Amino acid sequence: MTQPLTVSPGKKIRLKDFDPGDTGKIKNKAQTRAELEKNLETLNELGYRLYAENRRALLLVLQGMDTAGKDGTIRHVMRGFNPQSCQITSFKQPSLEELDHDFLWRIGRAMPRRGNVGIFNRSHYEDVLVVRVHNLVPKQEWKTRYQRINFFEKNAVDGGTTLVKIFLHISKDEQRRRLQSRLDNKTKRWKFRKDDLAEREYWNDYQRAYEDALTLCNTAYAPWYIVPADKKWYRNLVISRLLCKILKQMNPRFPPAEKGLKGLKVK
Ligand code: ADP
């Protein structure tokens, strides 16, 4: 059985209830290729209509443990969108200037404009994840952020941006395999930092911080989707399906043509 991706708002999310290795009824990558390509074509078509309509925006938020596949998702699924109307923002450690502002300052500046698809590779959620795990700000401060994030997201939704928040759920074992493969494989070694091993030591703390972020910021207007991500091909398929579904629901339309065009001939 395919496990659900969402949980009702208000219900406690426990990650152990979600199998990161789930692949629905699909057995291998070959079985996903045709559907993935078809979905990417659909995304392209709907993204084009969203751009032409120029009224609303779509924001995809990608979060997950290190090696969960944020970059891979962008490479394999977001290629469906036209680069002209798509912006990717990767949120790293805040700069000195960013630290001089509230944590949502840099997020607000990166929100997609009308007609566009924005992709956040990491996001404002880092401010209740890494910041919490490493005590980068006092607890009294990060505790207030869940509600502030909800207000911020509500405001974005009311302003015409649909949010798709995806948690890429991998197992600790799969992370070990991926880190080891980065070490062993010459073409992947550039991705490896010694810090990755230190961060892995905090696995349980991160899982707890994720459970709180997923629970406290799982709202009807901006729900979290928990995507099984141990199998990259299934992850890509699930996300392509989800984006198709959401864009179809948004149903962007070409704007009406200017009046008086009927019968005009170009000389
Ligand atoms: P990635 O792992 O996303 O491919 P990097 O290796 O450059 O890219 O890592 C980005 C780092 O920035 C991560 O360790 C992440 O936790 C950190 N980071 C992102 N946002 C914040 C934040 N608000 N405060 C502190 N650290 C952050």
Side-chain angles (χ1 to χ4, degrees):
M1 208 187 74
T2 309
Q3 71 190 1
L5 302 179
T6 50
V7 172
S8 315
K11 225 177 138 210
K12 169 86 188 149
I13 293 181
R14 284 190 187 81
L15 287 173
K16 65 173 175 43
D17 296 341
F18 293 82
D19 175 11
D22 183 41
T23 59
K25 294 192 186 80
I26 303 173
K27 296 204 172 58
N28 54 48
K29 183 174 179 177
Q31 291 182 351
T32 64
R33 278 204 189 100
E35 189 191 334
L36 180 66
E37 286 312 313
K38 192 174 112 286
N39 290 349
L40 295 191
E41 271 173 38
T42 305
L43 287 185
N44 193 272
E45 160 66 21
L46 292 168
Y48 186 59
R49 283 207 257 151
L50 187 77
Y51 182 60
E53 182 192 70
N54 199 26
R55 283 202 303 121
R56 294 170 292 169
L58 180 69
L59 173 65
L60 186 78
V61 171
L62 287 173
Q63 284 289 162
M65 302 291 286
D66 286 340
T67 76
K70 299 183 288 293
D71 292 350
T73 301
I74 294 172
R75 206 164 52 248
H76 296 289
V77 186
M78 303 314 144
R79 70 184 164 89
F81 292 115
N82 177 355
Q84 167 142 303
S85 54
C86 180
Q87 298 96 39
I88 302 167
T89 311
S90 297
F91 290 99
K92 311 272 182 187
Q93 283 185 11
S95 66
L96 288 177
E97 189 187 19
E98 286 166 347
L99 284 173
D100 259 347
H101 291 269
D102 178 63
F103 77 103
L104 289 168
W105 181 72
R106 64 176 184 166
I107 308 300
R109 285 156 56 102
M111 293 298 279
R113 63 182 64 192
R114 293 183 209 290
N116 280 17
V117 177
I119 297 159
F120 284 181
N121 182 349
R122 303 186 186 270
S123 66
H124 40 304
Y125 284 97
E126 292 294 321
D127 294 278
V128 286
L129 294 164
V130 63
V131 165
R132 165 175 161 168
V133 168
H134 291 291
N135 301 307
L136 301 181
V137 303
K139 185 171 182 184
Q140 308 93 280
E141 189 173 335
W142 61 251
K143 277 201 98 165
T144 65
R145 291 184 172 174
Y146 301 101
Q147 200 188 15
R148 294 191 53 217
I149 288 174
N150 290 341
F151 284 143
F152 174 83
E153 293 182 352
K154 177 80 170 69
N155 196 41
V157 170
D158 289 347
T161 301
T162 298
L163 266 75
V164 185
K165 303 187 297 190
I166 292 182
F167 172 64
L168 299 169
H169 186 30
I170 55 162
S171 61
K172 194 172 182 191
D173 231 27
E174 181 59 20
Q175 188 193 58
R176 182 181 49 71
R177 275 190 289 273
R178 291 185 187 183
L179 286 173
Q180 191 64 51
S181 131
R182 286 183 182 184
L183 274 171
D184 296 345
N185 188 329
K186 262 197 236 157
T187 65
K188 292 187 184 167
R189 211 167 287 152
W190 64 273
K191 290 195 212 172
F192 190 87
R193 293 170 308 137
K194 279 199 199 129
D195 278 359
D196 294 341
L197 297 181
E199 280 302 275
R200 185 170 156 79
E201 298 287 313
Y202 291 94
W203 178 274
N204 290 339
D205 293 343
Y206 271 107
Q207 295 281 299
R208 263 198 300 277
Y210 263 113
E211 285 182 341
D212 279 351
L214 295 171
T215 302
L216 297 172
C217 300
N218 185 35
T219 53
Y221 50 87
W224 272 106
Y225 296 91
I226 299 170
V227 171
D230 273 2
K231 292 278 179 284
K232 296 172 182 174
W233 44 266
Y234 188 65
R235 168 201 80 197
N236 293 341
L237 184 71
V238 167
I239 295 175
S240 73
R241 278 179 183 166
L242 178 65
L243 291 176
C244 282
K245 186 173 145 212
I246 287 168
L247 268 165
K248 277 182 188 160
Q249 280 164 356
M250 286 174 79
N251 191 19
R253 288 162 192 268
F254 291 113
E258 241 179 84
K259 285 207 173 86
L261 297 188
K262 209 169 168 200
L264 269 186
K265 286 272 178 297
V266 182
K267 284 186 193 139

